[in-house]
Amino acid sequence: MRMMNRLAVLAGVAFMAFATATTADARTLKLNHNNPEDHPLHKSMEFMGKRVEELTNGDIKIRVYANAQLGNQRESMELMQNGSLDMARSNASELEAFEESYSALNLPFIFANEEHYYKVLSGEIGDDILAASKDKGFVGLAYYVEGARSFYSNKEIRTPADLKGMKIRVQPSPTAIRMVELLGGSPTPIAFGELYSALQQGVVDGAENNPLALTVNRHGEIAKVFSENEHTMIPSVVMISTQTWDSLSAEQQKALKQAARESMDFHREGWNKQVAEGKALAEKEMGVKFIAVDKAPFAAAVQPMYEEAAAKSPRVADLIKRIQAAAN
């Protein structure tokens, strides 16, 4: 029933877009995501929309729908794959269920630092992964950095032993689930939109994300300790339906790729500033305590994941080697 409602909304949106088109060639693409409008991800997608409109002289526009208006991330992926939704924003963690290549980006501690992270995303390896899903119904256009993910709860998590017995919310990703298992916690997949109430009601004892989840999503109202073990750097990914992509002219595709690439840099520039402001706000107004953590015990505990991932897929094994080599 929920999916039928989403399809009805999308049908209405499609009609409105058609009715308001200013020329026969003008086209408005619908882009859905699950963050609020004041989130940096939303602002970066809005930037991309403005740039593609400029580059195509108004022939291509993007309307960005925040707060999962057209469906949650899983629903958006399915709608995009069947051509009912033009574009969506998800993250590499959830995308590995649709395209195995993304699992290489999700491995804990695979990136040496932020520079290595962005070098991979903005280079040949990143492009290779974005293009890998074309026959699966979607094409990646750009990555948006979301910093490093760490654990937060009402308990200090300084070593993997501190996670023992804790129910930790994870994304519905085999890699995220395996990571928490190896660290001694109990992984609990829950939709992000349901996490606030899950923390509030004790359905989970903690979660893992970047620091902005504390402020933008108000998780700092409940979870008062952010343990900076920085286990993963998982990017968001902006995608387009293969059906929509193939319906664009070569010139339009080029303009969309350029707009997406420019929005990557735009997003990166503003991200660190907003995270610093968010941490200060979480400390001052929410009473969140940030603690430094020795990462070595966490990194050691998850090492089996590298061999497991490589054994499952030659493709992923090759990507792991290439990513690690790019750190040098």
Side-chain angles (χ1 to χ4, degrees), residues 7 16 173:
L7 289 169
M16 290 173 62
S173 150

Side-chain angles (χ1 to χ4, degrees), residues 156-170:
E156 292 188 4
I157 300 170
R158 294 185 177 276
T159 69
D162 294 325
L163 286 163
K164 186 175 181 180
M166 291 184 69
K167 292 175 290 182
I168 301 295
R169 181 268 173 179
V170 294

Side-chain angles (χ1 to χ4, degrees), residues 16-310:
M16 290 173 62
F18 174 79
T20 57
T22 56
T23 72
D25 295 328
R27 185 170 181 183
T28 299
L29 306 180
K30 305 176 294 293
L31 197 174
N32 187 57
H33 70 97
N34 65 352
N35 292 102
E37 291 184 356
D38 60 351
H39 197 281
L41 288 169
H42 180 84
K43 296 175 183 177
S44 298
M45 286 180 271
E46 290 272 289
F47 175 89
M48 177 175 62
K50 291 177 183 177
R51 283 298 293 137
V52 76
E53 184 174 355
E54 293 170 356
L55 292 167
T56 62
N57 295 316
D59 286 345
I60 299 294
K61 300 179 181 179
I62 297 174
R63 183 172 179 183
V64 184
Y65 293 84
N67 295 309
Q69 291 179 64
L70 305 182
N72 62 31
Q73 289 188 162
R74 182 80 188 192
E75 291 167 341
S76 293
M77 290 300 302
E78 293 168 354
L79 290 167
M80 190 173 54
Q81 285 180 300
N82 67 35
S84 299
L85 177 66
D86 295 308
M87 301 177 70
R89 194 284 311 172
S90 188
N91 56 59
S93 188
E94 295 207 9
L95 287 177
E96 70 177 63
F98 298 87
E99 166 52 52
E100 65 176 3
S101 302
Y102 285 99
S103 64
L105 301 178
N106 300 331
L107 286 167
F109 304 103
I110 194 167
F111 297 110
N113 49 45
E114 199 270 343
E115 289 299 323
H116 176 213
Y117 176 42
Y118 204 69
K119 178 182 178 182
V120 168
L121 298 184
S122 60
E124 183 180 330
I125 300 171
D127 288 344
D128 188 0
I129 295 172
L130 290 176
S133 59
K134 191 174 190 296
D135 63 346
K136 298 178 176 67
F138 65 98
V139 177
L141 293 174
Y143 299 99
Y144 291 157
V145 298
E146 290 196 65
R149 298 174 74 97
S150 297
F151 293 110
Y152 56 94
S153 66
N154 282 312
K155 170 185 174 181
E156 292 188 4
I157 300 170
R158 294 185 177 276
T159 69
D162 294 325
L163 286 163
K164 186 175 181 180
M166 291 184 69
K167 292 175 290 182
I168 301 295
R169 181 268 173 179
V170 294
Q171 299 177 88
S173 150
T175 301
I177 291 169
R178 180 61 172 151
M179 176 188 72
V180 172
E181 286 176 345
L182 286 172
L183 293 174
S186 177
T188 308
I190 292 176
F192 189 66
E194 300 170 9
L195 180 52
Y196 184 94
S197 60
L199 287 165
Q200 192 174 46
Q201 297 167 13
V203 175
V204 292
D205 302 308
E208 54 88 39
N209 210 322
N210 63 69
L212 284 187
L214 300 171
T215 52
V216 175
N217 304 101
R218 301 184 296 114
H219 295 172
E221 294 176 356
I222 305 162
K224 300 300 182 181
V225 182
F226 193 91
S227 305
E228 297 181 293
N229 70 308
E230 299 184 331
H231 44 260
T232 51
M233 294 181 178
I234 297 176
S236 275
V237 184
V238 178
M239 301 154 287
I240 185 169
S241 165
T242 299
Q243 292 184 41
T244 300
W245 178 253
D246 288 343
S247 72
L248 300 177
S249 69
E251 292 79 10
Q252 290 170 337
Q253 290 178 350
K254 181 180 178 181
L256 184 53
K257 276 191 173 182
Q258 180 180 336
R261 184 63 182 81
E262 289 179 13
S263 73
M264 277 181 66
D265 294 332
F266 171 86
H267 180 80
R268 185 192 187 195
E269 288 173 7
W271 178 262
N272 289 339
K273 179 182 177 183
Q274 188 142 353
V275 167
E277 293 172 349
K279 289 177 68 174
L281 180 66
E283 284 183 310
K284 184 177 180 181
E285 297 190 12
M286 294 178 161
V288 176
K289 179 181 180 182
F290 290 83
I291 61 171
V293 175
D294 180 7
K295 301 175 187 179
F298 292 90
V302 299
Q303 280 306 300
M305 294 180 67
Y306 285 76
E307 293 180 6
E308 292 167 0

